[in-house]
Amino acid sequence: MNEALLRSLTPSVLAILVRRGADFAAAEDAVQDALVEAVRVWPADPPRDPKGWLVTVAWRRFLDATRADAARRRREDLVDEEPAPGLAPAVDDTLQLYFLCAHPSLTPSSAVALTLRAVGGLTTRQIAQAYLVPEATMAQRISRAKRTVSGVRFDQPGDVATVLRVLYLVFNEGYSGDVDLAAEAIRLTRQLAAAIDHPEVAGLLALMLLHHARRAARTAPDGSLVPLAEQDRGRWDTESIAEGIEILQAALARDRLGEFQAQAAIAALHADAPTAEETDWVQIVEWYDELARLTDSPVVRLNRAVAVGEADGPRAGLAALVALDDSLPRHTAVAAYLHERDGDLATAARLYAEAAQKAPNLAERDHLTRQAARLNVHGCR
């Protein structure tokens, strides 16, 4: 069973059902039922047209559910609209579905959460981690969003800003999480950039390309994380870096700065440095100042503290860290790094060990545990 194929077809099938009149929540349930049926049937009897098969089965599941409802007249209309057998049109509806899910009846945060769950394939836990909220809170938010759009006709696409937020979170999860969606997020953002002349769309595409260019160097052969300063820059994708910088420069020239352009500028400064020691940390701090002004994000201020520590020394970085809530994710890891830079190895080792216990994934936990062990061994000598 090709799970990747099923995942890639899901958005198009869902979009087709929505366009044919199914409300979003019912369409999602029908598509999930069709996917379960595909897992059961396809290994022994693979269809000639997988997408057409899924559309047909999902539509029938939707009709079965509709028949249990009191709206008989509407049910009969839907029966007449059942798609005819045959090959389904080879149309990529994914980006359109992103816009449809960013429905005006939803708040931006609810639209993002719903799209990540229904279209992006992320789990509630992954979405909750991206939003820095408890999983139960996110589950309630997604449920409320589904109730809000239940019965709503999806004929009013949402705004670009919400779609960009979704694509950014999908890329981040695909880049560092359990589900590899980074390449798909880049593909969809390219489509959006080709369709819409918007500097923030260009900024997001540049940001994705610059981060993705370093992906091969981020892990060692054993799967362990490799910090940016220790990465083999010869493994970076120079073509993607050059493309990202070119796209960014064209966007910045329009003088309509947004948060994705500012983030891309920071990534470009990292990517353009021949060595870690030659990184222009002073400029990076300036860009973080711009980004903090645009977003007022505590995560941005946390990253800024690291940059300040590199530009002005670890004690300046620790001073910037004091103003931030120590419950912020990765706050302890940043404190450990800055204390190590300041020569306080005992405190750094203790904080690395604490940070490992709070790590959001196994790779990060293992990396922080190794950092603590390294300093403890060093301290015993």
Side-chain angles (χ1 to χ4, degrees):
M1 172 54 57
N2 192 332
E3 294 183 7
L5 174 62
L6 286 176
R7 187 182 298 118
S8 68
L9 291 175
T10 298
S12 276
V13 176
L14 184 55
I16 289 170
L17 264 64
V18 169
R19 284 205 306 270
R20 290 183 179 276
D23 70 72
F24 188 87
E28 185 189 9
D29 290 341
V31 172
Q32 292 302 318
D33 287 345
L35 294 176
V36 171
E37 185 70 4
V39 170
R40 185 182 71 82
V41 172
W42 285 11
D45 185 21
R48 185 166 60 93
D49 176 23
K51 181 177 176 181
W53 189 98
L54 286 171
V55 169
T56 299
V57 172
W59 189 257
R60 288 172 180 167
R61 290 292 188 274
F62 170 69
L63 293 178
D64 289 343
T66 302
R67 289 189 182 98
D69 190 83
R72 179 175 298 276
R73 220 168 1 173
R74 177 57 181 155
R75 180 182 69 239
E76 291 172 353
D77 290 341
L78 291 171
V79 171
D80 292 338
E81 295 172 10
E82 179 174 350
L87 293 175
V91 177
D92 184 356
D93 301 294
T94 308
L95 190 58
Q96 179 193 14
L97 192 58
Y98 272 66
F99 272 95
L100 292 176
C101 287
H103 197 271
S105 65
L106 295 172
T107 64
S109 61
S110 294
V112 170
L114 178 63
T115 313
L116 289 173
R117 182 71 186 91
V119 188
L122 273 62
T123 65
T124 303
R125 176 183 59 80
Q126 290 168 325
I127 302 169
Q129 288 177 349
Y131 269 90
L132 309 179
V133 299
E135 184 175 347
T137 301
M138 183 53 63
Q140 292 175 355
R141 184 178 300 178
I142 293 172
S143 295
R144 284 196 301 270
K146 287 183 177 181
R147 287 196 299 271
T148 299
V149 299
S150 179
V152 170
R153 184 78 178 185
F154 272 61
D155 55 3
Q156 293 179 275
D159 66 340
V160 174
T162 300
V163 173
L164 290 180
R165 178 64 52 194
V166 174
L167 289 169
Y168 178 55
L169 290 174
V170 169
F171 175 81
N172 279 345
E173 190 59 44
Y175 189 61
S176 61
D178 302 325
V179 182
D180 186 359
L181 296 169
E184 173 68 357
I186 291 174
R187 184 184 71 83
L188 292 173
T189 307
R190 282 192 187 280
Q191 284 188 6
L192 188 58
I196 299 177
D197 184 18
H198 192 298
E200 272 294 82
V201 176
L204 178 58
L205 179 57
L207 176 63
M208 289 179 174
L209 290 170
L210 289 165
H211 278 311
H212 206 60
R214 303 200 303 259
R215 186 172 188 179
R218 291 184 70 247
T219 55
D222 62 0
S224 60
L225 292 180
V226 180
L228 175 61
E230 300 172 20
Q231 289 175 14
D232 178 2
R233 298 184 179 222
R235 299 184 65 196
W236 290 1
D237 183 347
T238 55
E239 289 186 7
S240 291
I241 291 173
E243 182 186 5
I245 290 176
E246 182 180 358
I247 292 170
L248 173 63
Q249 288 174 338
L252 292 175
R254 301 179 64 176
D255 199 23
R256 290 169 54 195
L257 183 64
E259 62 174 294
F260 292 121
Q261 294 169 74
Q263 288 189 61
I266 293 168
L269 286 166
H270 283 298
D272 205 35
T275 66
E277 293 73 23
E278 295 174 85
T279 303
D280 190 343
W281 286 105
V282 173
Q283 268 205 76
I284 288 176
V285 171
E286 292 174 355
W287 276 112
Y288 271 122
D289 289 338
E290 289 286 351
L291 190 55
R293 180 182 60 80
L294 289 166
T295 66
D296 195 30
S297 164
V299 175
V300 169
R301 296 187 186 281
L302 181 66
N303 291 332
R304 179 185 178 278
V306 176
V308 169
E310 299 290 351
D312 301 327
R315 294 194 179 181
L318 287 167
L321 201 60
V322 168
L324 300 175
D325 186 347
D326 60 10
S327 66
L328 193 65
R330 296 188 173 89
H331 183 286
T332 308
V334 170
Y337 173 75
L338 291 171
H339 277 289
E340 180 183 358
R341 288 279 319 281
D342 196 37
D344 187 352
L345 303 188
T347 299
R350 175 177 58 79
L351 290 172
Y352 276 130
E354 289 181 16
Q357 296 176 355
K358 305 174 184 176
N361 56 65
L362 181 61
E364 192 168 334
R365 185 185 72 189
D366 289 347
H367 171 72
L368 292 167
T369 300
R370 282 193 294 271
Q371 295 295 85
R374 172 179 58 82
L375 293 185
N376 283 327
V377 169
H378 182 84
C380 291
R381 290 176 180 172

